Amino acid sequence: MEPVGKYIVIYDGSCSFCVSCMSMLKKLDWMEKLAYTDFRKPSFAKRNREKLKSLERELWLVSQDKNVYKGFFAFRKISTLLPLLWIFVPF
């Protein structure tokens, strides 16, 4: 079941750097706009086999309307959602 009204951050739970970044994002997400999914969990991996290679290379962000942002574009979109990261959003 997908979280209602939230953007879904899909990350690599076996990557210590990725896990550290998600931990930091959770602290910065005081408005709770994001939900987090580890693509290594069997339930996710089984349903999304064709996407695993791309997910191993970059962070994904899925919007409520199913737009997918990858890598830098995912980070840029996350920066627009979290007020404490607005300094990274180009004007």
Side-chain angles (χ1 to χ4, degrees):
M1 183 172 193
E2 294 182 11
V4 178
K6 293 190 179 194
Y7 286 77
I8 302 169
V9 180
I10 305 173
Y11 69 99
D12 185 350
S14 69
C15 165
S16 59
F17 175 74
C18 301
V19 171
S20 295
C21 289
M22 292 308 104
S23 177
M24 182 61 68
L25 275 181
K26 288 176 184 178
K27 291 175 184 171
L28 296 173
D29 185 19
W30 49 271
M31 295 173 63
E32 298 182 354
K33 291 190 173 200
L34 304 174
Y36 306 87
T37 299
D38 174 1
F39 78 82
R40 299 282 184 185
K41 289 193 175 183
S43 60
F44 183 88
K46 188 182 282 187
R47 292 188 325 259
N48 297 283
R49 288 186 197 279
E50 70 282 352
K51 300 172 185 169
L52 295 180
K53 284 289 185 192
S54 179
L55 286 164
E56 287 177 344
R57 290 189 303 269
E58 57 194 356
L59 172 78
W60 281 28
L61 179 72
V62 182
S63 68
Q64 297 98 329
D65 57 356
K66 304 297 183 204
N67 284 330
V68 177
Y69 303 88
K70 299 177 183 178
F72 165 78
F73 299 102
F75 175 74
R76 186 170 69 179
K77 184 64 178 176
I78 290 168
S79 296
T80 68
L81 299 170
L82 307 181
L84 295 173
L85 295 179
W86 284 354
I87 61 170
F88 296 111
V89 179
F91 292 96

